[in-house]
Amino acid sequence: MRFPDLLSMSLNNLRRRKLRTALTVLGVVIGTASIVVMVSLGIGMKELNRELIGSYGSLTSIEVSSDMYGGGGDSSSEPLYLTDEKVEELRRIEHVKSVYPLLQVNAFFRQGKYSTQTQLTGAPREYLEQIPLGKGQLPPAGSSELSLIYGNAVIQWFDDGKGSNRYWETGVLPDVDFMGRPMFVIFDTDAYYQSQNPESNVKAPKKYLIPTAGVVEGEPNDFNDYAYSVYTELEPLEQQLRRIFKKNPIPGQPTNKKGKPYRYFIYNNCVVNVEDMEHVTEVQKQLTDMGFQAYSRADWMEQTEKQSKMIQMVLGGIGAVSLLVAAIGIANTMMMSIYERTKEIGVLKVLGCDMRVIRNMFLLESGFIGFLGGIIGLLFSLVVSFSINHFLDVAQTMTGMAGDISRIPVWLASSSVGFAVLVGMLAGFFPAVRAMRLSPLAAIRNE
């Protein structure tokens, strides 16, 4: 028997019992929709968590800091500093794309009556080019002039110097305009605070008028990797510090056993950028083996993805129960069909029909039930997914980030239909084998 004839016979058999077929298909629809929606929620939570972590910074970067005591905290060992030589060594690690050394110093910033002390970070130009600017722009490449980029949340730290009008107490931002008015910067913070003591003979340090290059994109309450720091290009900052302190120790820079400053700068930390997220853990291990303290968002993401996978398995299992019930319904439908068509099966056998044709006929019927239920179930799940994403604020509640919590990728849509067909055929396999093994004479005599 040709396949088109076999398919036509199977569909006609299903049409003869429309209500029973419709109810069986409905079971597959519910089962398929349950699996797709449940799994889509798990996928959505995983991707939202990844987007949330990614919004705080790159997922392929590793933050490396010096082990100031050496030997993982053993004070008897030599400290492990991040110098230019060490930075070059990090660049030679396999899968490392680039390394950005960061020099951090405390500085005092004043504009009018408002002031604050915060961290000034010197970074290579390549690092600064990654900072999203809401206002201003970077100075021309190769410029020796020191200019500053302010984090979008730095303004929160300014106060009037009298302990009043603080943003954290009043909720009102201070009248500080980074782009419109000059900002004075004091680099020698130790001398500044000593000069504030009337009994001290320390002279007030010099103030420097430093222009503003730009302000990080975002509102003052928005958090990102650059929100709470002030940035400048590394080389001009090093030149400025050498001019100010000359041969004296620079605050924040370590000194040797004699209290003398080193001839070179020691970086507080550096950012190691890895070629691909798959190699982050491998590179991070090499860095810790070298004695450095290394942190990446891959650690955080790994923990959240383990939780997401567990939730996804639980949700998928709940949906699978519905499809299992639907499979039982398909098996029951096919068994009933055999009992009703026993005589028809006997006639086919007496006429010399191949046993496999009879088996395939029932498998086609059960497979078509699965296919029809899978298609309708997928369409229904798309409607449910759209409703969850657009009418319920589930994503914000569960992950703290706005976005679609239910996501149905192409692979999930196609595999759900294929899985429904497979479940249908598996459910119809035993009834098909039973039909194939019926005795022809007993089947013909059957009323």
Side-chain angles (χ1 to χ4, degrees):
M1 184 179 292
R2 296 181 306 166
F3 179 78
D5 297 332
L6 187 62
L7 180 61
S8 175
M9 183 182 295
S10 300
L11 294 179
N12 287 331
N13 289 329
L14 292 175
R15 277 198 294 266
R16 279 187 296 176
R17 299 163 182 82
K18 294 183 178 64
L19 180 60
R20 188 168 67 193
T21 300
L23 292 175
T24 308
V25 168
L26 180 61
V28 180
V29 169
I30 295 172
T32 303
S34 298
I35 286 184
V36 173
V37 171
M38 293 297 184
V39 173
S40 73
L41 291 173
I43 293 172
M45 287 184 62
K46 177 181 176 180
E47 293 185 356
L48 276 175
N49 283 326
R50 179 171 289 194
E51 291 168 7
L52 177 64
I53 296 171
S55 68
Y56 297 142
S58 173
L59 297 176
T60 58
S61 65
I62 304 173
E63 297 177 16
V64 182
S65 56
S66 299
D67 186 349
M68 302 302 289
Y69 298 101
D74 184 1
S75 58
S76 63
S77 303
E78 286 296 323
L80 183 61
Y81 292 138
L82 276 169
T83 61
D84 287 324
E85 183 181 347
K86 283 293 181 182
V87 169
E88 288 301 320
E89 187 178 340
L90 299 184
R91 286 194 177 104
R92 291 193 293 268
I93 296 176
E94 188 179 7
H95 303 304
V96 170
K97 183 170 62 175
S98 58
V99 179
Y100 301 143
L102 304 179
L103 178 63
Q104 296 167 343
V105 295
N106 286 324
F108 194 82
F109 299 82
R110 179 181 291 278
Q111 186 182 91
K113 67 177 182 178
Y114 294 100
S115 62
T116 188
Q117 179 182 330
T118 191
Q119 194 175 75
L120 175 60
T121 301
R125 185 176 182 86
E126 294 82 6
Y127 180 92
L128 299 180
E129 288 173 348
Q130 297 178 357
I131 299 178
L133 297 181
K135 298 177 182 178
Q137 60 184 0
L138 291 177
S143 173
S144 60
E145 181 184 10
L146 191 68
S147 58
L148 305 179
I149 297 173
Y150 292 89
N152 53 289
V154 169
I155 192 173
Q156 298 177 3
W157 302 120
F158 282 81
D159 60 47
D160 61 5
K162 300 178 181 179
S164 58
N165 295 328
R166 292 177 177 173
Y167 169 76
W168 301 105
E169 297 170 355
T170 64
V172 179
L173 291 172
D175 185 20
V176 175
D177 185 358
F178 295 118
M179 301 298 298
R181 287 186 283 171
M183 180 73 71
F184 289 94
V185 181
I186 297 174
F187 292 92
D188 195 346
T189 54
D190 293 344
Y192 171 79
Y193 285 111
Q194 290 175 18
S195 67
Q196 299 300 301
N197 186 354
E199 300 178 359
S200 173
N201 294 323
V202 177
K203 184 181 178 180
K206 184 178 179 181
K207 296 184 293 184
Y208 296 86
L209 184 61
I210 309 295
T212 300
V215 180
V216 176
E217 183 181 43
E219 296 298 323
N221 290 323
D222 294 341
F223 175 78
N224 56 64
D225 264 7
Y226 315 103
Y228 290 98
S229 290
V230 184
Y231 296 90
T232 189
E233 197 162 346
L234 179 60
E235 189 172 341
L237 176 61
E238 291 178 342
Q239 294 172 357
Q240 178 83 353
L241 293 174
R242 286 194 177 99
R243 283 195 297 267
I244 295 172
F245 295 96
K246 297 180 174 61
K247 294 183 179 181
N248 297 320
I250 299 173
Q253 284 285 295
T255 56
N256 59 25
K257 294 179 180 179
K258 295 181 180 180
K260 300 282 187 179
Y262 290 97
R263 291 177 299 173
Y264 46 82
F265 280 98
I266 294 169
Y267 305 112
N268 302 79
N269 49 48
C270 67
V271 177
V272 176
N273 297 300
V274 184
E275 294 173 352
D276 193 90
M277 200 166 64
E278 295 178 358
H279 303 296
V280 170
T281 304
E282 175 189 344
V283 174
Q284 185 175 347
K285 185 178 184 306
Q286 292 186 55
L287 293 169
T288 54
D289 290 343
M290 292 170 66
F292 292 107
Q293 299 173 0
Y295 164 78
S296 70
R297 289 175 181 81
D299 300 331
W300 182 11
M301 191 174 67
E302 187 177 349
Q303 294 176 0
T304 58
E305 289 200 346
K306 283 182 180 178
Q307 296 175 353
S308 297
K309 285 180 181 178
M310 188 176 298
I311 294 172
Q312 196 169 339
M313 289 175 63
V314 172
L315 294 175
I318 294 172
V321 170
S322 302
L323 198 55
L324 176 62
V325 173
I328 296 172
I330 293 174
N332 179 64
T333 296
M334 301 315 298
M335 288 298 296
M336 292 296 296
S337 180
I338 290 171
Y339 290 134
E340 293 173 354
R341 295 155 58 192
T342 301
K343 192 170 184 177
E344 177 186 332
I345 294 169
V347 171
L348 289 172
K349 287 189 174 186
V350 169
L351 294 175
C353 186
D354 193 336
M355 298 290 185
R356 290 175 296 181
V357 172
I358 296 173
R359 180 198 62 194
N360 293 341
M361 180 176 63
F362 282 91
L363 287 177
L364 271 175
E365 291 181 24
S366 59
F368 185 78
I369 290 174
F371 175 75
L372 188 59
I375 291 293
I376 299 174
L378 175 60
L379 295 175
F380 181 68
S381 63
L382 290 172
V383 173
V384 173
S385 177
F386 178 85
S387 302
I388 292 174
N389 291 333
H390 291 81
F391 301 109
L392 300 176
D393 194 18
V394 180
Q396 190 72 38
T397 304
M398 296 184 70
T399 66
M401 185 173 182
D404 293 342
I405 188 66
S406 177
R407 305 187 183 190
I408 305 176
V410 175
W411 67 264
L412 177 59
S414 56
S415 60
S416 65
V417 176
F419 187 61
V421 173
L422 179 63
V423 169
M425 295 185 74
L426 289 176
F429 181 76
F430 178 74
V433 172
R434 181 179 175 82
M436 185 175 66
R437 292 177 178 174
L438 279 176
S439 169
L441 295 177
I444 291 175
R445 293 197 200 100
N446 184 272
E447 293 296 334

